[in-house]
Amino acid sequence: MVLSTILLDKIQTTVSTGNFVKHLFHELVKHMGEENLSYYVKDPSLKDAFEGIFFGNNQKPSNFSVDLFSSIGLDGLIYTFQNSLTL
């Protein structure tokens, strides 16, 4: 539920929020591994938790999210989430 409060978009996201999300996901990967994190990102029951992180206010990945996750080497999570919605 905590993740569902995060909304990443160009207008509302501050530098501090971006840094928090970067550190949060680095820690998740460090402790869970990228494969396990991808598993949870694909989990349909957690869709609402990740939707604001990957899509912001839109139905398509926001450029801000793509840039943020690309900069930390986790851009695959965006595409994993997006592809899980089409299943």
Side-chain angles (χ1 to χ4, degrees):
M1 295 306 293
V2 173
L3 292 176
S4 66
T5 63
I6 300 172
L7 177 66
L8 294 179
D9 64 16
K10 188 175 183 176
I11 297 169
Q12 295 179 343
T13 304
T14 65
V15 172
S16 296
T17 304
N19 285 332
F20 170 76
V21 171
K22 283 180 186 180
H23 292 290
L24 174 66
F25 275 85
H26 270 297
E27 288 297 315
L28 288 171
V29 168
K30 179 179 172 183
H31 293 286
M32 297 173 64
E34 192 170 346
E35 187 175 314
N36 283 335
L37 183 56
S38 290
Y39 171 80
Y40 287 105
V41 167
K42 288 187 267 187
D43 185 341
S45 68
L46 297 174
K47 175 186 169 273
D48 293 337
F50 291 108
E51 196 164 39
I53 294 171
F54 296 121
F55 290 136
N57 286 328
N58 301 317
Q59 292 301 314
K60 60 182 180 178
S62 70
N63 288 338
F64 184 85
S65 292
V66 171
D67 291 344
L68 178 78
F69 282 90
S70 293
S71 74
I72 62 173
L74 297 175
D75 50 330
L77 290 178
I78 293 170
Y79 305 109
T80 297
F81 182 77
Q82 185 177 21
N83 290 336
S84 73
L85 296 177
T86 60
L87 297 175

